[in-house]
């Protein structure tokens, strides 16, 4: 039971790790002067009001105070698959012994012997504490 749950947990974790290591995305930043106005990951950044005014008055204003910065986070594009035969002999030996000892750490509870499983307590005929007037204080 525990081995199945651990196996499924590790396989989901490794598949998510593989997915996130291969995903590429861009981060767009919009600065107005030296002030960061907007940051966007999956959509375009919103422009500030100075750019809207600049489009109307292109003849009057020649200075451009706004700038955009684009950071590209590139994921891994080529994946290599290694087999256990590609490892050195010492690494193979360590990996197999570690896996064997780790998996044998967990014992099934059904295999354990419970000594008091079929024990039934004796029937009480009389309450001895009440009969002998002995009480714990």
């Amino acid at each position: 039971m525990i081995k199945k749950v651990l196996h499924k947990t590790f396989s989901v974790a490794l598949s998510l790790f593989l997915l996130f290591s291969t995903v590429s995305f861009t981060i767009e930043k919009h600065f107005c002067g030296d002030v960061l106005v907007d940051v966007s990951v999956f959509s375009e950044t919103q422009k500030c009001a100075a750019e809207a005014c600049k489009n109307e008055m292109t003849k009057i204003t020649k200075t451009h105070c706004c700038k955009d910065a684009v950071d590209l986070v590139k994921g891994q594009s080529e994946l290599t698959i290694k087999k256990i035969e590609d490892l050195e002999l010492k690494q193979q030996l360590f990996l197999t012994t570690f896996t064997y000892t780790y998996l044998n750490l967990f014992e099934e509870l059904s295999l354990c012997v419970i000594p008091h499983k079929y024990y039934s307590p004796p029937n009480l005929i009389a309450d001895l504490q009440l009969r002998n007037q002995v009480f714990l204080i």
Side-chain angles (χ1 to χ4, degrees), residues 33-130:
D34 289 334
V35 178
L36 179 63
V37 177
D38 191 22
V39 176
S40 176
V41 177
F42 293 111
S43 62
E44 291 186 16
T45 57
Q46 293 180 356
K47 309 299 181 193
C48 60
E51 281 205 13
C53 294
K54 190 188 104 173
N55 289 339
E56 295 173 1
M57 301 182 218
T58 54
K59 298 176 185 174
I60 299 170
T61 58
K62 295 289 181 179
T63 60
H64 189 1
C65 67
C66 295
K67 61 182 177 179
D68 292 326
V70 177
D71 295 331
L72 176 66
V73 178
K74 190 171 182 181
Q76 188 175 0
S77 61
E78 293 183 12
L79 299 176
T80 59
I81 299 173
K82 291 194 174 187
K83 298 178 183 176
I84 196 165
E85 291 85 18
D86 297 338
L87 299 174
E88 295 177 9
L89 182 63
K90 289 182 181 179
Q91 292 174 338
Q92 289 178 5
L93 183 64
F94 174 76
L95 186 64
T96 53
T97 54
F98 178 76
T99 305
Y100 179 76
T101 55
Y102 183 75
L103 290 177
N104 287 332
L105 281 177
F106 305 107
E107 294 181 5
E108 297 285 331
L109 290 178
S110 61
L111 299 177
C112 295
V113 176
I114 302 173
H116 58 277
K117 183 175 182 181
Y118 298 109
Y119 175 76
S120 61
N123 294 330
L124 294 177
I125 298 171
D127 193 1
L128 295 177
Q129 288 181 343
L130 188 62

